[in-house]
């Protein structure tokens, strides 16, 4: 059984990052104009949740429906799932945008704009839930 050395992993990771940096997607200004605000919104959402949410011993509202109001209660830390969801959507959409950029630029822009919209809604909803808890 061979032991995996850390020295073998480091060159492959740097090679992967170099390959990623050489993608045409990361040289396109419009992609950066959409991606950077999305990442900033995700960071603001997580910082807001980390600062405003504190552990409590009782259940808090974790889901709101416009038809019936708050319809689901849960532990205080379940509110973080909203920020984590926005980060996951950003990661998946960005990876799909990188993959589709060489074929059609418009598809990658729609994916990035979709990530921005999800991040924006996540921020607004997080502000609402953080003020309740």
């Amino acid at each position: 059984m061979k032991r995996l050395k850390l020295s073998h992993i480091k060159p492959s990771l740097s090679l992967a990052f170099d390959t990623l940096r050489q993608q045409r997607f990361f040289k396109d200004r419009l992609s950066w104009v959409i991606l950077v605000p999305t990442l900033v919104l995700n960071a603001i959402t997580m910082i807001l949740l980390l600062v405003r949410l504190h552990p409590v011993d009782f259940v808090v509202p974790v889901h709101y429906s416009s038809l019936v109001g708050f319809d689901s209660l849960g532990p205080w830390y379940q509110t973080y799932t909203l920020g984590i969801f926005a980060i996951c959507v950003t990661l998946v959409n960005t990876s799909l945008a990188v993959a589709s950029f060489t074929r059609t630029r418009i598809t990658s822009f729609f994916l990035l704009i979709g990530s921005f919209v999800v991040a924006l809604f996540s921020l607004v909803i997080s502000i609402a839930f953080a003020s309740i808890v």
Side-chain angles (χ1 to χ4, degrees):
M1 187 167 161
K2 282 187 166 182
R3 291 188 65 147
L4 185 63
K5 293 184 179 180
L6 193 58
S7 62
H8 294 295
I9 294 174
K10 189 174 181 181
S12 63
L13 282 177
S14 65
L15 180 64
F17 283 126
D18 288 340
T19 305
L20 190 63
R21 265 189 264 148
Q22 292 174 357
Q23 293 283 333
R24 284 183 46 213
F25 175 83
F26 293 108
K27 295 177 182 174
D28 186 50
R29 284 189 181 176
L30 186 57
S31 298
W32 282 108
V33 166
I34 301 170
L35 184 60
V36 169
T38 304
L39 295 174
V40 168
L41 284 176
N42 284 332
I44 291 171
T45 301
M46 289 308 291
I47 290 169
L48 173 84
L49 289 173
L50 287 170
V51 169
R52 299 283 306 263
L53 292 180
H54 302 289
V56 292
D57 294 333
F58 50 89
V59 293
V60 297
V62 293
H63 186 264
Y64 180 82
S65 172
S66 61
L67 296 175
V68 294
F70 293 107
D71 59 352
S72 181
L73 300 174
W76 65 273
Y77 54 82
Q78 192 172 352
T79 311
Y80 286 109
T81 57
L82 189 60
I84 294 169
F85 173 74
I87 291 171
C88 290
V89 167
T90 301
L91 291 174
V92 169
N93 279 5
T94 302
S95 63
L96 291 173
V98 169
S100 70
F101 186 80
T102 56
R103 294 183 191 125
T104 60
R105 289 179 64 198
I106 192 74
T107 304
S108 65
F109 295 146
F110 279 129
L111 285 164
L112 291 176
I113 290 170
S115 296
F116 179 80
V117 169
V118 168
L120 184 64
F121 284 151
S122 174
L123 177 64
V124 170
I125 295 169
S126 295
I127 289 171
F129 276 106
S131 64
I132 292 171
V133 177

